[in-house]
Amino acid sequence: GKTAGIVCETAITVYTFGTCIAFLIIIGDQQEKLIAAFMKLGEDAESSHWYTDRKFTISVTAFLLILPLSIPKEISFQKYASCLSVIGTWYVTIIIIVKYIWLDSEMAPRDIPSSPSSWIAVFNAMPTICFGFQCHVSGVPVFNCMKTPDVKTWGGVVTAAMIIALFVYTGTGVCGFLTFGAAVNQDVLMSYPSNDIAVAFARTFIIISVLTSYPILLFCGRAVLEGLWLRYKGETVEEDVVCERRRRLLQTLTWFLLTLILALFIPDIGKVISIIGGLAACFIFIFPGLCLIEAKLSEIQETKSKSWWIL
């Protein structure tokens, strides 16, 4: 119904907005380590230069790279950059696995828990897991951008994506935890020293991956806001083409600036994931089931109508 649709659209908007904040925080985390490596700073040392400040580097990266990618109406042009980001995530996983196999004595874990401290700790991990595997929101625009958008091809794309995600998350999570134990950082790459060249390349790939992911999530959130606005005005997309570009620029700039400001003052990514991870669980476990129930009810209703006319 209309109310359920508005609730779902609101949830999508909040989720994509929070995810964009998390992406900017990730960029800041990785840039801090990269700057420390280039300037040959110690692990606990901080640079006094204004151009190495976290807020400055995040802002410059966001304005020069993310904003231009977020303004276009379509996202199909990002297919080549997305391929590079997928290769980058594979590289990150391979590096973490290799670092675990050939473990440096300086990174030997002090404590590796063999079981959770309580069942509550298991459930506390669910938001992070759901955040990692949630791709339902961006699935619709990706499907529309396919050269042959049919169910069979889409099934292969989804299967391949889930296999890649399973390998990447499992390899990164397990080997990262076994490398550092209970002392592992929420962002596992932050646990490695700044002067490690191989890990520095991994951080660069993560930044590239996030740079290409932010515009896709912004596109999804912007599409929802556009739909809510047109519904409020009682107009269709075809009727409001003239103001679409102006409205798209306003929505993009507002979204971009708000997420950037919040990311600058919320440096802990764990707090963001704990909030939006719950919404990600809804997109994985609740909303697909409701859509299936609605589809089946519509199918049953249509079958009954046909049966009535046959009689």
Side-chain angles (χ1 to χ4, degrees), residues 98-109 175 178-180:
V98 170
K99 289 290 182 182
Y100 166 67
I101 295 175
W102 287 282
L103 188 63
D104 191 338
S105 58
E106 296 180 358
M107 295 189 299
C175 292
L178 292 177
T179 301
F180 298 102

Side-chain angles (χ1 to χ4, degrees), residues 106-224:
E106 296 180 358
M107 295 189 299
R110 299 178 181 177
D111 179 30
I112 302 179
S114 58
S115 61
S117 56
S118 66
W119 281 106
I120 298 177
V122 177
F123 290 106
N124 287 339
M126 287 303 296
T128 304
I129 297 173
C130 293
F131 175 77
F133 280 96
Q134 201 295 121
C135 56
H136 301 64
V137 173
S138 54
V140 176
V142 171
F143 177 82
N144 290 333
C145 292
M146 290 174 58
K147 185 179 293 185
T148 55
D150 57 75
V151 176
K152 184 177 180 181
T153 306
W154 179 243
V157 171
V158 172
T159 302
M162 287 294 101
I163 292 174
I164 292 174
L166 179 62
F167 171 80
V168 168
Y169 292 144
T170 303
T172 303
V174 172
C175 292
F177 176 73
L178 292 177
T179 301
F180 298 102
V184 66
N185 196 287
Q186 291 177 331
D187 184 347
V188 64
L189 289 180
M190 297 295 289
S191 300
Y192 292 92
S194 303
N195 57 1
D196 193 313
I197 302 301
V199 177
F201 278 106
R203 294 191 176 102
T204 303
F205 275 121
I206 287 296
I207 292 175
I208 294 174
S209 177
V210 171
L211 289 176
T212 59
S213 299
Y214 182 104
I216 296 175
L217 271 296
L218 188 148
F219 174 86
C220 296
R222 189 177 64 200
V224 172

Side-chain angles (χ1 to χ4, degrees), residues 30-306:
Q30 305 310 324
Q31 284 179 333
E32 278 187 334
K33 287 286 188 176
L34 287 174
I35 290 172
F38 288 134
M39 301 190 70
K40 298 181 180 180
L41 297 174
E43 290 302 308
D44 298 325
E46 293 185 3
S47 174
S48 58
H49 301 293
W50 60 269
Y51 52 83
T52 60
D53 182 73
R54 176 191 177 95
K55 295 180 180 179
F56 177 77
T57 56
I58 293 177
S59 301
V60 170
T61 304
F63 275 101
L64 294 182
L65 300 176
I66 293 180
L67 183 57
L69 292 174
S70 303
I71 293 176
K73 187 176 181 179
E74 302 294 336
I75 60 173
S76 56
F77 72 95
Q78 294 196 45
K79 56 185 177 182
Y80 301 110
S82 297
C83 290
L84 179 62
S85 68
V86 171
I87 296 173
T89 56
W90 279 79
Y91 174 81
V92 173
T93 303
I94 292 171
I95 286 297
I96 291 176
I97 293 175
V98 170
K99 289 290 182 182
Y100 166 67
I101 295 175
W102 287 282
L103 188 63
D104 191 338
S105 58
E106 296 180 358
M107 295 189 299
R110 299 178 181 177
D111 179 30
I112 302 179
S114 58
S115 61
S117 56
S118 66
W119 281 106
I120 298 177
V122 177
F123 290 106
N124 287 339
M126 287 303 296
T128 304
I129 297 173
C130 293
F131 175 77
F133 280 96
Q134 201 295 121
C135 56
H136 301 64
V137 173
S138 54
V140 176
V142 171
F143 177 82
N144 290 333
C145 292
M146 290 174 58
K147 185 179 293 185
T148 55
D150 57 75
V151 176
K152 184 177 180 181
T153 306
W154 179 243
V157 171
V158 172
T159 302
M162 287 294 101
I163 292 174
I164 292 174
L166 179 62
F167 171 80
V168 168
Y169 292 144
T170 303
T172 303
V174 172
C175 292
F177 176 73
L178 292 177
T179 301
F180 298 102
V184 66
N185 196 287
Q186 291 177 331
D187 184 347
V188 64
L189 289 180
M190 297 295 289
S191 300
Y192 292 92
S194 303
N195 57 1
D196 193 313
I197 302 301
V199 177
F201 278 106
R203 294 191 176 102
T204 303
F205 275 121
I206 287 296
I207 292 175
I208 294 174
S209 177
V210 171
L211 289 176
T212 59
S213 299
Y214 182 104
I216 296 175
L217 271 296
L218 188 148
F219 174 86
C220 296
R222 189 177 64 200
V224 172
L225 293 176
E226 180 74 359
L228 289 171
W229 172 257
L230 292 177
R231 184 183 302 171
Y232 171 76
K233 296 283 289 185
E235 299 174 347
T236 62
V237 179
E238 292 76 12
E239 295 173 343
D240 201 24
V241 176
V242 178
C243 299
E244 186 276 333
R245 177 177 174 80
R246 186 189 309 165
R247 194 167 55 249
R248 171 160 49 89
L249 290 174
L250 178 61
Q251 292 168 350
T252 302
L253 287 173
T254 304
W255 184 289
F256 171 80
L257 291 174
L258 287 176
T259 55
L260 177 59
I261 291 171
L262 289 173
L264 295 179
F265 294 96
I266 308 176
D268 187 1
I269 190 175
K271 296 178 180 179
V272 179
I273 292 179
S274 63
I275 296 174
I276 61 179
L279 287 174
C282 293
F283 295 131
I284 293 176
F285 300 115
I286 298 177
F287 288 140
L290 293 176
C291 292
L292 179 61
I293 292 173
E294 178 63 25
K296 283 297 180 181
L297 289 176
S298 301
E299 183 180 330
I300 293 172
Q301 190 67 29
E302 184 179 351
T303 303
K304 286 184 178 180
S305 301
K306 290 182 178 178

